[in-house]
């Protein structure tokens, strides 16, 4: 069993504290006091304390709006999300846009545009064969003629009300939006920024790291205390970003038997199961300040889908001064562990608060959630906020 964190009013200074943890100055894992250092935003509004555990709005408020739209990001911010996530993929002309995948078949109305019918194609992305339309085959101007739609309409029919309302945002538009909102609110808007399929895109001559670093520098978000994290499932992408920007870096981790795609390409035999061992975590701590594991790496599910016994991952990661921002909590029965489901409807809400309580008790430093309002209430309950 990992360390159990007791509720309390512990707060951290986000990026500043994470970087301190990486150098040993601040021990987040053990519940030590965070250094009282400002984390200035790009707009110069000064520090904003991030609570522990913090709540990351997964693709924005994706439980209520089509994911990765300005509408989803704005709702997440209005709900009070501590950090808002963006996934980045490139266009044909080298712009970064916010989509969870480069395959935009399910998240835009591209199939209804006859002028783009000939661009439907089959590709192999990170070993998986996909048929559809892909961002790297469109210029930014062409993508701007499309409209976003709900990715999982059967599960979230109410989100389809907003189909067609928003464009596919470029990452620069998101940075402009965050800067405007920071000025309006008098505090920085925190972002969690992921490079998607970086090895795949590098082979196409559309590397993600340099364009991302250029934008972060342009908006003053490249420094150690900038109000954002950068993340990737490929450790080599994080290593490259570490040479370009100083903001805190997070390595994402999938299932235990999986291998990061850059490992596959390089012939590195290590799996995620190897990376979550103490020696693997020590290696990650050499170039990153945190990990983003799937929740099942923290509390595996049993054969019947209910939660089993907690692993030592939280304790082991904190021993290496790494913060943990696991993913992803969703309120619907179909996504919850079996012991927190209510009724037989997979799309109805289950006992999300019960599941949050179990996960927060492991001592994680934050959590990604599609329904950030629920997550924020659960986090406040856990911390004992008034």
């Amino acid at each position: 069993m990992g360390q159990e964190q007791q509720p309390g009013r512990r707060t951290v200074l986000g990026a500043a504290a994470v970087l301190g943890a990486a150098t040993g100055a601040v021990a987040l894992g053990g519940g030590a006091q965070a250094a009282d250092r400002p984390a200035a935003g790009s707009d110069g509004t000064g520090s904003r304390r991030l609570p522990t555990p913090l709540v990351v709005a997964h693709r924005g408020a994706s439980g209520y709006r089509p994911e990765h739209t300005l509408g989803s990001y704005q709702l997440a911010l209005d709900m009070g999300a501590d950090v808002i996530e963006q996934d980045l993929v490139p266009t044909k002309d080298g712009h970064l846009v916010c989509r969870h995948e480069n395959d935009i078949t399910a998240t835009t109305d591209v199939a209804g545009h006859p002028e783009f019918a000939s661009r439907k194609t089959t590709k192999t992305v990170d070993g998986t064969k996909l048929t559809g339309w892909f961002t790297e085959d469109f210029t930014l101007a062409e993508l701007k003629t499309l409209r976003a739609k709900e990715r999982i309409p059967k599960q979230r029919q109410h989100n389809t009300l907003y189909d067609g309302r928003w464009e596919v945002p470029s990452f620069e538009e998101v940075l402009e939006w965050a800067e405007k909102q920071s000025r309006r609110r008098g505090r920085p808007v925190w972002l969690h920024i992921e490079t998607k399929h970086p090895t795949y895109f590098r082979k196409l001559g559309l590397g993600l790291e340099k364009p991302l670093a250029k934008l972060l520098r342009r908006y003053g978000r490249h420094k150690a205390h900038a109000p954002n994290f950068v993340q990737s499932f490929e450790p080599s992408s994080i290593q490259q970003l570490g040479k370009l920007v100083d903001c805190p870096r997070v390595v994402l981790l999938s299932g235990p038997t999986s291998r990061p795609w850059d490992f596959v390409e390089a012939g590195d035999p290590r799996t995620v199961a190897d990376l979550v061992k103490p020696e693997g975590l020590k290696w990650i701590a050499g170039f990153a300040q945190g990990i983003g594991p799937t929740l099942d790496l923290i509390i595996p599910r049993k054969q019947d889908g209910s939660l089993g016994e907690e692993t030592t991952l939280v304790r082991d990661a904190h021993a290496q001064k790494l913060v943990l921002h696991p993913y992803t909590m969703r309120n619907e029965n179909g996504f919850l562990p079996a012991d927190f489901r209510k009724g037989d409807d997979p799309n109805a809400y289950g006992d999300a608060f019960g599941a949050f309580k179990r996960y927060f008790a492991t001592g994680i430093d934050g959590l990604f959630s599609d329904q950030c309002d629920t997550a924020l209430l659960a986090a406040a309950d856990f911390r004992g906020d008034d």
Side-chain angles (χ1 to χ4, degrees):
M1 296 290 287
Q3 289 180 320
E4 182 171 332
Q5 178 184 359
Q6 298 300 322
R9 291 175 173 269
R10 184 164 64 96
T11 61
V12 299
L13 275 175
V18 172
L19 288 173
T23 60
V26 180
L28 290 179
Q33 294 295 319
D36 189 16
R37 294 180 292 175
S42 59
D43 60 330
T45 56
S47 64
R48 175 196 172 191
R49 285 187 176 274
L50 291 179
T52 302
L54 60 79
V55 171
V56 183
H58 186 236
R59 311 178 197 175
S62 55
Y64 307 108
R65 299 290 188 271
E67 66 189 34
H68 289 312
T69 59
L70 287 178
S72 181
Y73 299 151
Q74 184 65 54
L75 182 58
L77 184 62
D78 291 343
M79 285 179 167
D82 300 307
V83 188
I84 301 171
E85 185 199 31
Q86 295 77 44
D87 294 316
L88 302 185
V89 292
T91 65
K92 182 178 181 179
D93 50 347
H95 293 277
L96 299 180
V97 294
C98 299
R99 293 286 88 188
H100 181 252
E101 294 293 340
N102 54 323
D103 181 355
I104 55 173
T105 309
T107 61
T108 72
D109 62 356
V110 64
H113 284 253
E115 68 273 26
F116 298 134
S118 63
R119 299 197 197 178
K120 186 175 184 180
T121 186
T122 298
K123 300 189 179 193
T124 300
V125 181
D126 293 2
T128 300
K129 184 175 288 188
L130 303 168
T131 298
W133 289 264
F134 299 83
T135 60
E136 64 267 28
D137 296 330
F138 292 77
T139 66
L140 179 60
E142 289 172 331
L143 278 181
K144 284 296 184 180
T145 67
L146 308 179
R147 289 297 181 269
K149 67 177 185 177
E150 173 56 37
R151 179 177 58 90
I152 48 174
K154 291 183 179 179
Q155 289 88 347
R156 292 175 176 165
Q157 191 275 333
H158 56 281
N159 285 14
T160 64
L161 173 65
Y162 305 99
D163 285 357
R165 189 170 183 87
W166 293 289
E167 299 176 347
V168 173
S170 70
F171 182 54
E172 184 160 19
E173 286 175 316
V174 173
L175 291 173
E176 291 171 350
W177 165 82
E179 193 168 74
K180 180 180 178 180
Q181 292 296 321
S182 294
R183 289 194 297 267
R184 177 177 297 172
R185 294 164 187 265
R187 58 174 174 77
V189 172
W190 284 76
L191 307 177
H192 222 306
I193 308 155
E194 180 181 348
T195 58
K196 300 292 295 189
H197 309 299
T199 296
Y200 168 82
F201 287 121
R202 203 173 297 123
K203 286 187 169 183
L204 297 178
L206 293 170
L208 301 171
E209 293 82 9
K210 288 183 179 179
L212 171 56
K214 183 178 179 180
L215 284 172
L216 292 178
R217 288 182 175 276
R218 182 180 300 169
Y219 286 84
R221 285 178 168 264
H222 62 292
K223 299 178 182 179
H225 306 310
N228 42 249
F229 304 86
V230 291
Q231 57 177 346
S232 183
F233 280 100
E234 296 189 20
S236 62
S237 183
I238 294 301
Q239 290 172 322
Q240 288 195 30
L241 283 168
K243 299 175 182 178
L244 300 171
V245 296
D246 294 325
C247 51
R249 300 169 295 279
V250 176
V251 174
L252 299 171
L253 300 168
S254 190
T257 61
S258 67
R259 292 166 66 200
W261 189 252
D262 54 343
F263 282 19
V264 174
E265 292 278 350
D268 189 326
R270 287 177 296 173
T271 65
V272 167
D274 296 311
L275 296 182
V276 297
K277 293 177 181 177
E279 56 269 31
L281 294 169
K282 182 178 180 180
W283 176 75
I284 290 174
F287 57 89
Q289 290 73 48
I291 59 172
T294 174
L295 284 165
D296 289 347
L297 290 174
I298 294 173
I299 308 180
R301 299 194 191 192
K302 296 185 287 188
Q303 191 170 1
D304 64 0
S306 62
L307 291 183
E309 293 296 318
E310 180 186 340
T311 69
T312 63
L313 179 56
V314 174
R315 181 188 68 199
D316 294 341
H318 282 166
Q320 296 297 330
K321 311 303 182 189
L322 293 167
V323 296
L324 297 94
H325 294 168
Y327 66 93
T328 303
M329 260 293 294
R330 301 176 172 97
N331 289 358
E332 294 93 350
N333 279 324
F335 300 114
L336 287 170
D339 39 341
F340 294 101
R341 297 171 190 163
K342 291 184 176 180
D344 298 324
D345 183 354
N347 301 323
Y349 281 6
D351 180 16
F353 286 113
F356 274 116
K357 184 177 181 180
R358 179 79 189 275
Y359 287 126
F360 284 145
T362 65
I364 57 176
D365 303 286
L367 185 61
F368 285 75
S369 176
D370 284 12
Q371 290 91 4
C372 52
D373 54 341
T374 307
L376 287 162
L377 285 171
D381 287 345
F382 182 77
R383 294 191 303 263
D385 293 352
D386 293 334

